[in-house]
Amino acid sequence: MSAESPVRWTDPEQQELEERVAAAELAWLSMDVDVQTLRVEIDNFALIHHQLLGPLYARLDELDALVAEAVAARTGRPEDVRRAAEARQQVEELPDLDALFDSVREKAGEEHSEAAPPPAAPARVKPGKEAQRIYRELVRRAHPDLSTDPAEQQRRAAFLVRVNEAYAYGDAAALEGLAAEWSTAPEAAPALDSPDRLGWLRRRLDWLTAKIAETATEQVRLEQTPMGQLLALAPQDPDGLLEQLAEELLAKAAVQQAELERLLGAPGTVPVGENETDPTFPRASAGRYPHQESHTMFAQIPTTDAASVPADAALLDVREQDEWDAGHVEGALHIPIGEVIARIGELPDAKLYVLCRVGGRSAQVVQYLVQQGLDAVNVDGGMYAWDGAGRPMVSSGGQAAFVL
């Protein structure tokens, strides 16, 4: 062997531990990023879910209570009266979710704008002997004065804040965890050729293994929360999931509205069925979600396919302005769904073919118009079907027309 190329001896066990520690660190950091990202996604989804669907949930609860009260008023049976009271109590006891979410947002803003206030002083406790032992050892090893580097002094001071808080509560388990964290931190690692390196590697691997298990447990907990389970149904398209939920809630509310009208004997109502809906077209309080379509709900109303609509037919488009601007049928009358009742006098005295995006909103309008004695037909599949059939469209701005 040449004297110019000495071979450095390496402990095989240490080499294996070095590799295992490196792999465990990478695994833990990757998992931690995934969990933090999941937590943010769930929080954001929960906030948007409330903002978009909260009014629909509240409306559905109110309709449930009104239907139960109408049934109780008709029958007078004690069981129906009890159910009505329970339904009304549920509505009255709903928390003020708007205030709740506002407070959460305000708190988040405060946390970003200024330092968090110090924790409230704990109740006086007398730490046990084990807590005292660990505390003394941590202070001895982590005291800021043991370093002359300003950054390291700051890191040590922040760590001792956590140590002091755990000691104030007499929490020996928390102190043990902090001791393990300090002794296995990368900053505390002995040099590669130090005789203490092997022991540090073992402690570091044990600590990382525990952190991986802890992080995995937190991921499972987040995934099993109500919002976590809901988001898991469509993680790549949460907006589409919210739209689908809005459709389902709208359908339920429509059924309850029709049932309520039947119970109250409102004019022009029919027995409730799964294809019926609310002819009052309430305006959405957050975007257009509450008016999104579910074209399977209205099979019993007059319907035709887009290809069969006569070229000279009278058309009514009930979509919103931005949808109309993107692409519409030239010559069609545009009245958004929320304005149909107020502007019913503007409708032509002719057979009316009603369009929306996929046929759900137009079905609601057709059902209402038919109840008013008008000759109206729903165009099944809406503008998507119209475009798919190759029927002509124009846009408001002159650009290429498309269905929004």
Side-chain angles (χ1 to χ4, degrees):
M1 181 182 297
S2 172
E4 298 178 356
S5 57
V7 177
R8 181 178 179 180
W9 179 84
T10 302
D11 184 345
E13 182 183 3
Q14 180 174 329
Q15 181 63 34
E16 180 187 0
L17 280 173
E18 296 280 3
E19 294 172 355
R20 291 177 63 187
V21 166
E25 286 177 343
L26 180 60
W28 171 54
L29 291 174
S30 299
M31 289 181 64
D32 189 57
V33 170
D34 290 343
V35 168
Q36 297 303 327
T37 301
L38 177 61
R39 181 179 288 109
V40 171
E41 290 177 346
I42 289 176
D43 289 345
N44 290 339
F45 182 75
L47 181 60
I48 298 173
H49 178 274
H50 161 69
Q51 291 174 333
L52 295 179
L53 303 187
L56 279 177
Y57 281 117
R59 175 60 176 162
L60 189 58
D61 287 337
E62 176 66 23
L63 284 170
D64 288 342
L66 290 172
V67 168
E69 289 166 348
V71 170
R74 279 197 171 196
T75 67
R77 293 184 300 185
E79 181 66 15
D80 291 335
V81 173
R82 181 186 63 79
R83 288 174 180 168
E86 291 175 351
R88 177 55 58 189
Q89 183 178 11
Q90 181 176 347
V91 173
E92 292 174 351
E93 291 182 351
L94 285 175
D96 186 349
L97 293 180
D98 287 318
L100 176 63
F101 274 83
D102 287 343
S103 67
V104 171
R105 284 190 290 264
E106 290 172 4
K107 182 178 180 181
E110 292 172 359
E111 290 176 350
H112 284 87
S113 62
E114 59 184 34
R124 292 181 62 85
V125 296
K126 184 176 181 179
K129 290 186 178 300
E130 182 64 12
Q132 295 178 29
R133 183 191 66 78
I134 301 173
Y135 176 72
R136 283 195 299 268
E137 180 66 15
L138 279 172
V139 172
R140 182 183 67 81
R141 294 163 56 192
H143 199 284
D145 290 347
L146 295 175
S147 174
T148 58
D149 180 65
E152 176 63 11
Q153 288 179 334
Q154 185 176 5
R155 183 182 78 88
R156 288 169 173 262
F159 180 78
L160 281 184
V161 168
R162 297 165 59 197
V163 171
N164 289 333
E165 183 178 356
Y167 185 66
Y169 284 96
D171 193 340
L175 288 169
E176 287 180 355
L178 289 167
E181 178 181 337
W182 182 263
S183 66
T184 60
E187 296 86 351
L192 289 174
D193 55 356
S194 169
D196 297 330
R197 180 75 178 186
L198 199 59
W200 179 85
L201 286 170
R202 294 193 185 102
R203 294 193 302 272
R204 178 68 174 168
L205 185 60
D206 289 343
W207 185 84
L208 287 168
T209 302
K211 294 299 291 185
I212 289 173
E214 178 184 320
T215 305
T217 299
E218 176 64 7
Q219 181 173 0
V220 171
R221 186 194 69 79
L222 288 171
E223 291 173 345
Q224 291 181 349
T225 60
M227 283 298 160
Q229 294 182 43
L230 195 57
L231 182 60
L233 296 176
Q236 304 304 321
D237 187 20
D239 291 339
L241 176 61
L242 290 172
E243 181 175 337
Q244 178 183 345
L245 292 172
E247 293 173 358
E248 295 173 358
L249 291 175
L250 179 61
K252 292 178 181 178
V255 170
Q256 289 297 76
Q257 179 73 38
E259 173 68 358
L260 179 62
E261 292 176 351
R262 183 186 69 81
L263 290 168
L264 298 178
T269 60
V270 294
V272 67
E274 63 180 13
N275 294 321
E276 294 167 4
T277 186
D278 178 4
T280 57
F281 316 128
R283 287 182 178 276
S285 60
R288 70 165 67 95
Y289 281 92
H291 290 317
Q292 296 300 330
E293 302 91 348
S294 176
H295 64 275
T296 62
M297 295 163 45
F298 307 95
Q300 297 177 359
I301 64 174
T303 303
T304 189
D305 61 276
S308 301
V309 177
D312 59 349
L315 300 176
L316 171 63
D317 192 322
V318 298
R319 296 175 299 157
E320 301 302 317
Q321 187 65 48
D322 57 345
E323 296 174 282
W324 167 269
D325 290 338
H328 59 268
V329 182
E330 188 171 15
L333 175 62
H334 178 220
I335 302 179
I337 186 172
E339 303 175 18
V340 169
I341 295 177
R343 297 172 59 183
I344 193 171
E346 300 178 26
L347 301 181
D349 186 16
K351 187 173 185 176
L352 200 59
Y353 292 82
V354 187
L355 286 156
C356 65
R357 187 169 61 129
V358 299
R361 284 172 285 178
S362 56
Q364 296 182 54
V365 173
V366 169
Q367 185 178 57
Y368 172 72
L369 295 180
V370 169
Q371 289 178 353
Q372 306 309 307
L374 300 180
D375 189 3
V377 179
N378 186 42
V379 179
D380 190 34
M383 288 300 296
Y384 275 128
W386 184 276
D387 185 34
R391 307 294 296 265
M393 295 190 304
V394 296
S395 67
S396 297
Q399 68 275 18
F402 67 96
V403 180
L404 178 62

